[in-house]
Amino acid sequence: DIIPARVQTTCYQKHRYYCKQCEKLVTAPCAVDEIPNSYLGPNVLIQAVILKYHHGLPFNKIAELFEGLCGLKVSEGALAQALQRISGWLSVEADEILKAIRVSPHLHMDETGWKISGTRHWLWAAVNEKLAHYRIAASRGAKVARDIIGKDYKGVIGTDFYAAYNRLSGRKQRCLVHLLRTMREYRMKDDSVEFIKHDKILKRIVYGAIHLGERRVELAERIYQRRVKRLKRRLLAWASGDYENKNLLRLAKRFLKHWAQLLTFLEYPEMSYHNNLAERMIRPNVIIRSRSYQNRSLKGAAAHGTHMSLIQTLRLQQRSIFADLKTAYLHHRQGKSSPILQFASIG
């Protein structure tokens, strides 16, 4: 069973002495769990962060939970303002995640709609298997994505076919699942002989590339590279074909435009042929979006980006979210500015 919790009030008494040599008042340092001039303790504050950004509870539910669980009465506004202040102290740690993202050998990017005070904004995500960075911006343009990863990113970027990603530096891997989905949509409404014939050829090329990537470890390097070159030639030949069917023309135009970015995963074994990771990492934000009004202010949006970046990165690295956030918050809240959390990167 669960033992009922109770609220504990802690009073910190600090000794202060006058130093005759320095001619200054010297105050004792903070206690281990002390938050200077705070009504709420670190356990309450960090648990509120986790309930809001990890479990997706709105502030009114968090306030009800605290009161029902241990009799702690706190208003929704107090929680919202407290979490914004916490994000300011933890932004140093979130900046370390962004630095690691910019030097990672590969990452995935995606974006989704968001609102601030009812106005349309966009939530951007840049993630890999160990790191996650989120940012809410008013624009869906390439300048936001470029600002996240930097102008001279050297790694491989996995994306969908949204045009803003065309202007990013680095190699790119376009999501083949998005492409197969588009092909299936055309197939559902077009049963012409020409389309069915060339669609089958294209499917064999795409699925052949996926299967080849999965069998890379089984093949000798010489044989593998020869098959990659053959697939690229077949894909380029299909995209350059002469078609009369309008759906084939649309597909050929897309393949011809992006054919050099469709099989990048065959050259980089750590890169996947789909953008599923980015979509999964955006999902927690979508859940929060469905349960709230998103954000009411720019400060709230900045807090969302900071907290989600830290929580999802800690989760990806299989670390204790509560313990690490509490340690970092107390570290910065007690006057230390240097980052304390070390985030493992890839490569």
Side-chain angles (χ1 to χ4, degrees):
D1 203 355
I2 297 177
I3 301 173
R6 61 184 178 84
V7 175
Q8 175 178 293
T9 303
T10 304
C11 178
Y12 294 97
Q13 295 182 347
K14 291 188 177 181
H15 294 283
R16 178 178 293 178
Y17 297 98
Y18 178 76
C19 178
K20 294 181 179 180
Q21 185 175 356
C22 301
E23 297 183 350
K24 293 181 180 179
L25 284 172
V26 181
T27 305
C30 294
V32 176
D33 282 352
E34 180 186 356
I35 300 177
N37 307 313
S38 177
Y39 165 70
L40 298 173
N43 294 330
V44 173
L45 293 173
I46 300 304
Q47 193 61 60
V49 171
I50 294 173
L51 289 171
K52 172 64 176 175
Y53 296 104
H54 183 51
H55 298 291
L57 293 183
F59 286 121
N60 64 324
K61 298 293 185 182
I62 298 174
E64 290 177 10
L65 179 63
F66 282 153
E67 185 173 3
L69 185 65
C70 58
L72 175 64
K73 295 183 178 181
V74 58
S75 68
E76 299 174 39
L79 288 172
Q81 292 178 16
L83 266 56
Q84 289 180 21
R85 290 193 295 268
I86 293 172
S87 71
W89 293 104
L90 293 179
S91 61
V92 177
E93 306 295 343
D95 290 342
E96 293 299 304
I97 297 176
L98 182 57
K99 291 178 184 177
I101 283 282
R102 289 174 173 171
V103 297
S104 60
H106 68 273
L107 57 88
H108 297 262
M109 297 193 73
D110 202 0
E111 78 291 330
T112 188
W114 199 261
K115 287 185 179 179
I116 301 179
S117 294
T119 304
R120 188 64 178 267
H121 283 67
W122 299 91
L123 185 144
W124 293 78
V127 304
N128 57 31
E129 293 81 359
K130 292 290 185 180
L131 303 164
H133 172 80
Y134 299 92
R135 181 176 302 183
I136 298 172
S139 171
R140 199 189 178 195
K143 61 181 180 181
V144 181
R146 197 161 47 234
D147 186 56
I148 291 174
I149 66 171
K151 295 181 180 179
D152 300 317
Y153 182 71
K154 304 298 184 184
V156 184
I157 310 172
T159 71
D160 55 23
F161 291 88
Y162 179 47
Y165 300 118
N166 296 345
R167 299 167 63 182
L168 301 183
S169 60
R171 295 290 303 274
K172 298 178 186 67
Q173 170 60 51
R174 301 293 180 168
C175 180
L176 293 187
V177 174
H178 280 75
L179 205 54
L180 291 169
R181 190 179 301 136
T182 302
M183 292 167 57
R184 184 170 63 249
E185 291 173 358
Y186 287 154
R187 198 178 308 123
M188 294 291 290
K189 60 184 180 182
D190 191 341
D191 57 354
S192 64
V193 175
E194 182 186 12
F195 182 84
I196 292 174
K197 174 185 175 182
H198 293 285
D199 176 67
K200 287 182 178 179
I201 298 173
L202 181 58
K203 279 178 61 179
R204 284 198 294 268
I205 297 173
V206 174
Y207 281 110
I210 294 173
H211 295 155
L212 178 61
E214 293 172 348
R215 295 183 55 209
R216 177 167 189 158
V217 295
E218 304 173 9
L219 301 174
E221 185 64 20
R222 178 177 56 84
I223 297 175
Y224 177 80
Q225 293 299 336
R226 187 174 63 203
R227 293 188 181 182
V228 170
K229 291 180 181 179
R230 185 189 305 162
L231 274 170
K232 288 183 176 181
R233 287 196 300 268
R234 290 175 61 195
L235 184 61
L236 182 58
W238 192 97
S240 305
D242 186 16
Y243 308 108
E244 295 182 2
N245 184 282
K246 61 180 182 179
N247 291 322
L248 287 174
L249 288 172
R250 292 192 187 105
L251 284 174
K253 183 178 179 180
R254 174 174 287 192
F255 272 84
L256 192 59
K257 181 178 180 181
H258 300 289
W259 78 274
Q261 302 172 349
L262 297 177
L263 303 181
T264 309
F265 74 100
L266 295 177
E267 303 174 33
Y268 298 87
E270 70 279 2
M271 198 67 191
S272 58
Y273 63 88
H274 52 73
N275 204 31
N276 184 255
L277 177 61
E279 295 180 355
R280 289 202 317 269
M281 296 304 295
I282 271 191
R283 181 64 179 166
N285 299 276
V286 175
I287 294 174
I288 293 175
R289 182 178 65 189
S290 67
R291 298 176 180 176
S292 67
Y293 295 105
Q294 286 108 84
N295 296 118
R296 299 293 185 90
S297 66
L298 293 175
K299 288 184 178 180
H304 182 97
T306 297
H307 289 309
M308 288 299 293
S309 297
L310 287 166
I311 287 174
Q312 295 303 322
T313 297
L314 292 171
R315 186 180 67 81
L316 286 172
Q317 300 192 9
Q318 299 181 351
R319 293 163 62 172
S320 171
I321 298 174
F322 181 86
D324 282 0
L325 287 183
K326 179 181 176 181
T327 300
Y329 175 56
L330 288 172
H331 174 79
H332 297 295
R333 189 65 179 83
Q334 293 177 3
K336 298 165 186 155
S337 59
S338 59
I340 189 175
L341 299 179
Q342 300 294 324
F343 297 107
S345 185
I346 295 178

